[in-house]
Amino acid sequence: MNTYIIAEIGINFNGSLDNCYRMIDVAVDSGCNAAKFQIFSAKKLYPRSAGELDWKDDKEEYSYDIYEAVKSFELPREWVDDLISYCVEKNIDFMASVFDTEGLNEMVCKGMKVIKLSSYTITNLPLIKAAAKLNLPIIMSTGGATISETEDAVNCIQKYHNDLTLLHCSIQYPTKLGDVNMGILDTFKSVFPDVKIGYSDHTEEASNAPVQAVYLGGSVIEKHITLDKQMEGPDHFFALEPKEVKQMVDDIKEAEINYKNGNFILDKVIYGDTKKICHDHEQYLRDFCYMTLFSNKPIKKGDIIKPKDISILRAGKKNKGLEPKYLKLFETYDVVAKEEIDFEDPINWDKIL
């Protein structure tokens, strides 16, 4: 058993290409298999009118414009070729989560061999279908989703291929060990017996949860890393510093041996619940980050709403629109606006029925 370990660099490079290189080095020196970034653009992720985000960590309280903050977290596309080359030089896989079809196609054209889909795209069936049609292995996180939503996403992929790994995940940052509910991996094994499984970890502890995922048959582990937990930004304080990354990898390797020998004990607290639902601690970020349909232009009452008039975006602080799967409705039928729809308004049943 060889666990594939993904070092999630994400947005923790803080606008510095040098930090990217340094974090790739951390992943390599620790024995990780992949260094992962996130490929997104603010304009394809949130409405400009997404609102203000207020949050706090152990140090202080924060308030900032959602759209502008996300824009500041973007990985410059002109860096990607250099980062891919550096990963090749260091003999580690380059990987990137993609959030829209433009980013998906760009990364695949640049040679990315495995597609990573975030929890926040699991109901974005148009994106999942586009990814599946490329016939590349897919690793898909499932935080905040129900078993029915997960099944819809799996079925969408399996129409094209079955090279899929489902990652159990909790969209709580950090995730408390008592909220991990690693027993969901047993649910995945039962409901999706021909799909590989793994775990994307947001706990503060280096390896408690990842080790339990290995004991339940997980073959992929993903974990956020940072150069320093004290760096400015929302994803640093729960990420692992270099020494912790090495400790996690070492503990996973030891867990593989224990798993092979049957010499392990499941932690009841981390195992938790087997029900694949949106748990209470995930609901806020599900509402905030799951993608729905928004208008990208003003639409007059009585106008036919065309697919090109619609964007698939996260709601932020706005009301949510229809789930992305309903985009097909506008592709198939002449759907008429029941009332005036402003730019960046959510498109929901009240507006069309």
Side-chain angles (χ1 to χ4, degrees):
M1 178 181 183
N2 292 309
T3 307
Y4 190 82
I5 303 173
I6 302 170
E8 166 71 270
I9 294 170
I11 63 173
N12 282 352
F13 59 93
N14 282 34
S16 164
L17 180 58
D18 183 60
N19 282 347
C20 292
Y21 291 141
R22 292 172 64 196
M23 296 176 80
I24 291 171
D25 287 342
V26 169
V28 171
D29 294 342
S30 301
C32 297
N33 302 97
K36 188 173 82 66
F37 295 87
Q38 296 178 9
I39 299 296
F40 60 81
S41 61
K43 66 181 180 180
K44 290 184 176 292
L45 206 59
Y46 283 97
R48 289 182 180 272
S49 55
E52 297 280 327
L53 177 62
D54 302 309
W55 68 283
K56 61 182 179 179
D57 59 20
D58 297 335
K59 295 181 291 182
E60 57 183 304
E61 296 185 1
Y62 305 82
S63 181
Y64 51 79
D65 181 83
I66 295 166
Y67 183 89
E68 291 302 325
V70 171
K71 191 169 180 60
S72 73
F73 297 146
E74 293 176 7
L75 181 76
R77 299 296 175 92
E78 60 268 23
W79 293 1
V80 172
D81 287 339
D82 289 337
L83 293 175
I84 292 173
S85 296
Y86 193 73
C87 286
V88 170
E89 177 187 332
K90 294 292 182 175
N91 197 30
I92 190 170
D93 293 340
F94 172 90
M95 192 180 292
S97 294
V98 294
F99 297 85
D100 56 74
T101 53
E102 181 182 292
L104 166 68
N105 292 328
E106 182 179 343
M107 289 303 102
V108 171
C109 285
K110 289 182 179 295
M112 192 170 71
K113 299 293 193 296
V114 177
I115 297 168
K116 176 62 174 64
L117 297 175
S118 154
S119 294
Y120 302 116
T121 62
I122 193 167
T123 58
N124 188 350
L125 296 186
L127 174 63
I128 292 171
K129 180 180 178 180
K133 290 172 73 172
L134 294 170
N135 252 339
L136 291 172
I138 294 175
I139 300 174
M140 182 166 62
S141 294
T142 61
T146 65
I147 192 64
S148 176
E149 289 166 338
T150 306
E151 191 168 25
D152 286 345
V154 171
N155 289 340
C156 183
I157 293 168
Q158 288 183 330
K159 289 177 182 177
Y160 299 92
H161 67 82
N162 195 42
D163 197 345
L164 169 64
T165 304
L166 283 181
L167 301 188
H168 168 48
C169 175
S170 176
I171 49 173
Q172 178 188 46
Y173 306 86
T175 302
K176 301 172 185 176
L177 290 177
D179 288 335
V180 166
N181 295 314
M182 198 70 78
I184 289 170
L185 287 182
D186 276 340
T187 301
F188 283 171
K189 285 185 283 188
S190 176
V191 178
F192 311 112
D194 53 349
V195 168
K196 297 181 285 292
I197 58 171
Y199 174 59
S200 180
D201 187 32
H202 297 134
T203 65
E204 290 184 282
E205 292 79 6
S207 59
N208 300 53
V211 161
Q212 293 295 308
V214 172
Y215 291 162
L216 285 166
S219 61
V220 175
I221 300 293
E222 178 182 74
K223 185 88 168 179
H224 283 259
I225 70 170
T226 181
L227 297 173
D228 185 340
K229 292 178 187 287
Q230 301 303 313
M231 291 175 71
E232 185 177 348
D235 286 358
H236 288 286
F237 73 101
F238 64 88
L240 298 187
E241 293 178 340
K243 288 184 179 179
E244 295 174 305
V245 182
K246 181 65 166 66
Q247 183 62 54
M248 178 190 70
V249 174
D250 289 346
D251 289 348
I252 288 173
K253 298 303 181 187
E254 182 179 349
E256 291 174 349
I257 296 171
N258 294 337
Y259 179 76
K260 182 178 179 181
N261 296 334
N263 181 29
F264 63 89
I265 297 174
L266 293 178
D267 184 310
K268 291 182 180 179
V269 172
I270 296 175
Y271 186 89
D273 203 337
T274 60
K275 294 195 293 289
K276 181 54 180 147
I277 60 175
C278 178
H279 292 272
D280 289 344
H281 60 268
E282 299 179 294
Q283 190 64 56
Y284 174 78
L285 279 177
R286 178 189 165 103
D287 291 341
F288 197 99
C289 294
Y290 266 43
M291 307 187 89
T292 63
L293 303 187
F294 286 85
S295 62
N296 57 37
K297 57 172 283 188
I299 300 170
K300 296 178 181 178
K301 179 180 178 180
D303 282 356
I304 294 173
I305 305 173
K306 300 178 176 63
K308 67 179 183 178
D309 302 333
I310 299 172
S311 293
I312 300 175
L313 301 169
R314 298 178 179 185
K317 289 293 188 70
K318 295 174 73 74
N319 291 329
K320 295 180 293 183
L322 297 172
E323 290 184 4
K325 65 183 179 181
Y326 292 110
L327 183 64
K328 190 174 182 179
L329 187 69
F330 300 87
E331 295 169 341
T332 307
Y333 303 103
D334 288 339
V335 180
V336 176
K338 176 183 166 185
E339 59 188 66
E340 184 174 308
I341 302 174
D342 290 333
F343 172 62
E344 292 190 340
D345 268 2
I347 296 178
N348 51 40
W349 296 121
D350 290 342
K351 303 275 178 60
I352 62 175
L353 293 180

